[in-house]
Amino acid sequence: MMAKIESAYIHIPFCKQMCHYCNFVKYYYTEKRATEYLQALEKEIEAYLPENNHKLRTIYIGGGTPTALNTDQLIYLFEIIHKKIDVSQIEEFTIEVNPGDINEEKTKILKDYGVNRISFGVQVMDDSMLKELGRIHRVEDVYQTVDLLAKNHFHNISLDLIYALPHQTVEHFEKSLQEALSFQLPHYSTYALQIEPKTVFYKKHRQGLLHRPKEDDEVAMYNILKEMMAANGIEQYEISNFAKPGFESKHNLTYWSNEYYYGFGAGASGYLPGKRISNVKPLPAYVDKALHEEKPILEIDTVGIKERMEEEMFLGLRKIKGYDERTFQRKFGQDIRSVYGKQLNELKSQDLLKDEQGVWRLTDKGMLLENRVFAEFILN
């Protein structure tokens, strides 16, 4: 039976300001380069989806800042999507939005073209820290954008926060989180700051100029995060994600369930049966390859059964509901213990995993040491 591909990620790599922590594929917005990019993107999507009205379950438009596009370009993007995909069948249609970068006209365009979920890049509720992060919005913009989205009947909104920021104390994080929770949104994604190569923060870190909180403070922030979310009726369903019941991200659950998806755009990655595909990142190279060659591919990695098993465990254990070993049996035709019995027993003895009637879950300690846990599932 042919494997179904039910999700698509679409990358829009344009920003009007470069954040100091971000290493995603991104470029300063100009109208000309964005128009050329959309023409190339249309060709790439056509190469993968030659038929119109393709059936998908989720679409996620990320960046960069997708709403950095002007109104005509935003309409062009959605027309491309509507031509190739039957949007009436989409269960979850997400676009990333930054506070202050969207107006009434753009908000109505999103609504008219079927977007039903907003991923909202707030990061921290503090103007001085926003400035240090290289963000151009301020806290006032967050309130205005929440009001604008509510006015246009967007109810499925996810707010992103980052913690363990330079100079951030535990008390400051708690205050920022409390203010973010006051919006009573149905979904929150909250990540510890990662120092990524080729970023402003990476250079500062190498120079000893980035003053991050101590590890104990970072652990305290994560524990406060879990406690305050629970107290507000927002359930943790993945290591870094929290939602009111029914508002879990269906698109991200595609990733964590190790299911297939298309990846369109510069630097995007897709996971198709037996292979992972990575697109070229440089903007001119992407545009040239997409317009003049069949597909703008940088490399294709073969995903054999060993790699599939490894990824199944890395991703599945991120979910709070855990990983059911019957799923492993169904997908691979093998008992999980015949492949990973030693690792599972050792991690259980170290109080990093727990087994509840064949469902394996990270313990609280395991969540804090997730990378150590996942490394145990690499097969030699």
Side-chain angles (χ1 to χ4, degrees):
M1 187 176 77
M2 196 168 179
K4 290 185 74 176
I5 304 165
E6 297 185 315
S7 296
Y9 172 78
I10 301 172
H11 191 67
I12 305 298
F14 300 108
C15 293
K16 296 186 176 175
Q17 175 91 0
M18 297 301 171
C19 300
H20 296 172
Y21 55 88
C22 176
N23 76 334
F24 293 137
V25 177
K26 60 195 183 299
Y27 299 92
Y28 281 110
Y29 170 84
T30 69
E31 185 174 332
K32 180 177 182 293
R33 61 171 31 166
T35 296
E36 291 173 345
Y37 180 81
L38 291 173
Q39 291 167 347
L41 182 68
E42 183 174 18
K43 290 277 287 186
E44 185 194 2
I45 294 174
E46 174 74 29
Y48 282 94
L49 306 177
E51 304 293 328
N52 292 344
N53 296 315
H54 199 79
K55 299 290 189 291
L56 292 179
R57 196 171 54 86
T58 72
I59 299 174
Y60 190 107
I61 305 174
T65 309
T67 48
L69 299 174
N70 66 32
T71 53
D72 287 343
Q73 290 166 339
L74 207 53
I75 290 168
Y76 180 19
L77 171 64
F78 285 123
E79 288 291 338
I80 294 168
I81 293 168
H82 274 251
K83 177 183 175 185
K84 304 311 301 182
I85 298 165
D86 183 358
V87 173
S88 69
Q89 301 297 309
I90 297 292
E91 295 176 18
E92 183 184 273
F93 191 170
T94 304
I95 192 169
E96 291 181 355
V97 168
N98 286 334
D101 76 2
I102 187 166
N103 56 24
E104 183 82 35
E105 186 178 12
K106 287 185 179 180
T107 306
K108 286 182 175 174
I109 290 169
L110 304 187
K111 178 61 74 172
D112 288 346
Y113 278 95
V115 171
N116 59 18
R117 184 174 184 271
I118 302 294
S119 180
F120 191 37
V122 171
Q123 315 317 353
V124 65
M125 299 293 286
D126 181 284
D127 283 349
S128 63
M129 283 195 176
L130 286 167
K131 189 174 180 181
E132 189 168 1
L133 289 172
R135 304 288 289 181
I136 56 175
H137 79 266
R138 296 296 175 257
V139 172
E140 178 185 5
D141 297 316
V142 179
Y143 284 87
Q144 291 175 352
T145 305
V146 168
D147 288 345
L148 177 62
L149 293 170
K151 177 185 170 187
N152 285 277
H153 310 290
F154 282 100
H155 306 296
N156 192 354
I157 301 171
S158 175
L159 189 149
D160 288 357
L161 291 175
I162 305 175
Y163 64 96
L165 296 169
H167 309 295
Q168 189 174 44
T169 63
V170 174
E171 293 74 21
H172 179 280
F173 170 69
E174 186 170 2
K175 180 176 179 293
S176 177
L177 178 59
Q178 187 65 59
E179 189 170 359
L181 285 167
S182 71
F183 295 117
Q184 298 182 313
L185 298 176
H187 191 286
Y188 290 83
S189 295
T190 310
Y191 304 91
L193 177 68
Q194 301 296 310
I195 308 301
E196 304 285 2
K198 299 181 182 178
T199 64
V200 172
F201 276 180
Y202 183 77
K203 292 173 187 172
K204 285 188 173 184
H205 178 66
R206 292 287 297 271
Q207 295 166 353
L209 300 175
L210 196 71
H211 304 290
R212 296 194 64 197
K214 296 179 293 186
E215 189 174 317
D216 286 351
D217 286 346
E218 185 175 325
V219 170
M221 291 178 196
Y222 185 61
N223 288 331
I224 286 169
L225 170 66
K226 294 200 293 183
E227 291 165 8
M228 289 179 66
M229 288 291 175
N232 282 271
I234 303 170
E235 298 175 6
Q236 186 176 21
Y237 72 100
E238 191 267 349
I239 290 173
S240 301
N241 285 271
F242 303 79
K244 292 179 181 177
F247 286 91
E248 301 83 358
S249 170
K250 294 177 181 178
H251 185 85
N252 287 339
L253 283 166
T254 296
Y255 300 149
W256 301 321
S257 299
N258 203 21
E259 295 170 359
Y260 301 121
Y261 54 90
Y262 296 106
F264 300 127
S269 295
Y271 179 34
L272 307 182
K275 57 191 175 184
R276 286 197 180 274
I277 300 172
S278 301
N279 279 351
V280 293
K281 295 181 181 181
L283 199 60
Y286 171 80
V287 170
D288 184 63
K289 284 179 79 76
L291 290 176
H292 302 114
E293 301 180 25
E294 186 182 357
K295 293 172 183 172
I297 294 171
L298 174 65
E299 60 183 350
I300 299 175
D301 292 325
T302 300
V303 181
I305 187 145
K306 180 176 83 72
E307 291 82 10
R308 285 180 59 214
M309 287 177 175
E310 292 169 348
E311 291 174 358
E312 187 80 6
M313 301 309 296
F314 301 161
L315 296 165
L317 285 170
R318 292 190 65 87
K319 295 184 287 188
I320 300 307
K321 73 175 187 179
Y323 187 76
D324 191 326
E325 54 188 53
R326 288 170 295 188
T327 301
F328 194 93
Q329 177 74 45
R330 176 174 56 80
K331 282 190 171 184
F332 303 108
Q334 297 184 56
D335 188 320
I336 195 171
R337 293 166 199 266
S338 69
V339 180
Y340 284 122
K342 180 183 175 185
Q343 294 91 326
L344 292 169
N345 289 333
E346 286 185 1
L347 290 166
K348 185 177 178 181
S349 71
Q350 296 169 32
D351 191 32
L352 296 171
L353 280 185
K354 55 188 175 184
D355 173 20
E356 298 174 349
Q357 296 181 316
V359 177
W360 293 89
R361 294 186 177 90
L362 291 170
T363 62
D364 289 342
K365 180 182 174 184
M367 282 190 212
L368 294 170
L369 299 171
E370 58 182 282
N371 289 333
R372 180 174 145 192
V373 174
F374 298 156
E376 291 297 314
F377 294 99
I378 297 174
L379 295 167
N380 297 320

